[in-house]
Amino acid sequence: MSGLDILKRAGLKATLPRLRVLTLFQESEQRHMSAEEVYRELLAKEVDIGLATVYRVLTQLEDAGLLKQAHLQSGRAFYELDDGRHHDHLVCLDCGHIREFFNNDVEQRKEKIAQSLGFELSDHTMVLYGSCSQPDCEARA
């Protein structure tokens, strides 16, 4: 589905800034980007856009359910496409690399813990912090 169709389906007018930001997330190999990284990527592609516009568009796309925001490192907000599939994150404290994972055993255990404490989960986020154990980590370079 094209960015234009996705925006229309989400009830948003297909403005050029919205299309550019959405397309960047769809085409980028980097799944998690801060507003500043989105801004730098767009400038590198010679897209004439201001940082304030990037922040505004990210908020609009998040409100429409197209992007998700997560605070993964030292309070910095990162955005990623919301594909409707749940996953958790591993964050390397040395190089900043973010890795997604899903583990059904972990998910079931979280549900059991919540139930045992008389709590019904509606949503959750889990972020694990550590260091890459790979000596040739590409993200460090």
Side-chain angles (χ1 to χ4, degrees):
M1 188 180 299
S2 74
L4 182 64
D5 293 333
I6 291 170
L7 289 172
K8 286 183 178 181
R9 191 176 203 182
L12 293 174
K13 184 177 177 186
T15 64
L16 191 57
R18 289 178 186 155
L19 282 169
R20 297 291 180 139
V21 171
L22 182 59
T23 300
L24 176 66
F25 276 95
Q26 290 174 319
E27 295 176 353
S28 178
E29 289 183 24
Q30 188 176 349
R31 288 200 28 92
H32 306 89
M33 290 184 271
S34 68
E36 293 81 9
E37 289 168 328
V38 169
Y39 175 68
R40 282 194 302 270
E41 289 287 325
L42 292 172
L43 287 180
K45 293 177 182 278
E46 298 184 1
V47 175
D48 185 24
I49 192 168
L51 183 57
T53 301
V54 169
Y55 274 104
R56 186 173 52 255
V57 168
L58 289 171
T59 300
Q60 293 166 347
L61 295 177
E62 181 186 8
D63 290 346
L66 300 175
L67 295 180
K68 290 189 294 189
Q69 184 187 111
H71 295 273
L72 301 176
Q73 290 179 304
S74 62
R76 285 181 58 199
F78 286 83
Y79 295 85
E80 62 184 319
L81 284 175
D82 188 350
D83 59 8
R85 295 180 292 179
H86 172 74
H87 60 269
D88 296 304
H89 297 93
L90 291 164
V91 178
C92 178
L93 295 171
D94 297 324
C95 67
H97 181 69
I98 300 167
R99 179 144 186 201
E100 296 176 356
F101 73 95
F102 176 83
N103 182 289
N104 199 45
D105 293 335
V106 170
E107 296 304 315
Q108 290 176 4
R109 186 69 184 132
K110 287 188 275 189
E111 283 290 334
K112 287 180 183 178
I113 290 169
Q115 288 174 1
S116 73
L117 296 172
F119 202 80
E120 186 177 326
L121 291 179
S122 58
D123 196 9
H124 75 277
T125 299
M126 185 167 74
V127 182
L128 303 175
Y129 298 93
S131 297
C132 297
S133 59
Q134 301 168 349
D136 59 342
C137 174
E138 292 178 19
R140 273 193 206 129

